[in-house]
Amino acid sequence: MSSAARVTLFEDIFEINALNPEGKKFERVNRLSAKGTTFDCDLLLDYNCQIYSLHEEEKMTLVLASTLNLDGSPDDHTSYNPAASFKNEPTLADNYEYVMHGRVFDVSYKKDGVVVIAISFGGLLCRLTGDQRHLSNILPDMRLFILIKKD
C-alpha cells in the first residue's frame, strides 16, 4: 500500500457548478458548489478567494487526509508547519495548491445510505454529501486536512 493511500480518507475530482450560489457574504471568502466526477458527491466549500482562485466549470482534485506526513505517521494537529517544505521535509501538501486544517463537527446519516459530513476549517465551512461507502473513513470530531489543486 502506498503511503498516500494510508493518509488519504477521500479523494475525487470535482467540477465547480457555481460560485457563491446564495450571493457573496464575505469579501475574502467564496463558497463553491461542485459535483464529484467519480463518486457523485455534492460539495459546498468556503475558501479564501484572496489567496486562491477558482472558477465555475473548472475541475479540481480534492483530498481529505488524516496527516500530511508522507510516511503515514499520525499528525499531532497542533504544530502544522507550512514552511516544512522549505526545510527539505516533503509533505503531502507539496503536491497541492491550497491546504486547510479542520475538524469534522457533524456526520448525519440520511435515507438510502447517504451521509452528510460537515467540517469547519477555522470558520470556513465544508459540506460533503454522498454515499457512505465512499465517505466511511471520515468520523465525527476527526481532525483532518483538505488539499486542493486545479485539474
Side-chain angles (χ1 to χ4, degrees):
M1 178 184 292
S2 73
S3 58
R6 287 194 297 263
V7 301
T8 300
L9 303 168
F10 175 80
E11 180 174 2
D12 201 354
I13 296 171
F14 284 83
E15 184 167 355
I16 300 169
N17 303 321
L19 288 179
N20 303 308
E22 298 171 2
K24 189 149 175 81
K25 308 280 190 214
F26 301 101
E27 183 180 327
R28 300 177 190 169
V29 177
N30 276 343
R31 175 168 285 176
L32 66 81
S33 172
K35 186 74 152 179
T37 60
T38 302
F39 299 120
D40 201 34
C41 292
D42 291 317
L43 173 71
L44 273 179
L45 177 68
D46 296 342
Y47 66 96
N48 185 323
C49 59
Q50 282 193 320
I51 62 172
Y52 194 63
S53 175
L54 291 165
H55 304 284
E56 288 183 22
E57 299 182 13
E58 275 187 326
K59 288 185 179 179
M60 65 179 196
T61 296
L62 179 140
V63 171
L64 296 176
S66 58
T67 180
L68 296 178
N69 299 323
L70 291 175
D71 64 1
S73 62
D75 193 300
D76 66 8
H77 298 284
T78 60
S79 61
Y80 171 57
N81 181 8
S85 60
F86 297 113
K87 298 177 184 175
N88 295 325
E89 298 171 19
T91 71
L92 186 61
D94 296 340
N95 300 318
Y96 295 87
E97 302 163 341
Y98 186 78
V99 179
M100 295 189 291
H101 178 260
R103 183 180 73 83
V104 176
F105 67 88
D106 188 46
V107 176
S108 301
Y109 297 92
K110 307 297 182 189
K111 294 180 181 178
D112 301 324
V114 172
V115 64
V116 179
I117 297 171
I119 308 167
S120 175
F121 298 98
L124 297 176
L125 302 178
C126 172
R127 185 177 71 209
L128 187 59
T129 305
D131 190 309
Q132 67 187 37
R133 292 175 300 167
H134 308 301
L135 300 170
S136 63
N137 292 327
I138 304 163
L139 305 172
D141 206 38
M142 177 179 270
R143 298 194 185 284
L144 48 73
F145 295 91
I146 189 168
L147 302 101
I148 297 170
K149 66 180 174 183
K150 295 176 192 174
D151 283 347

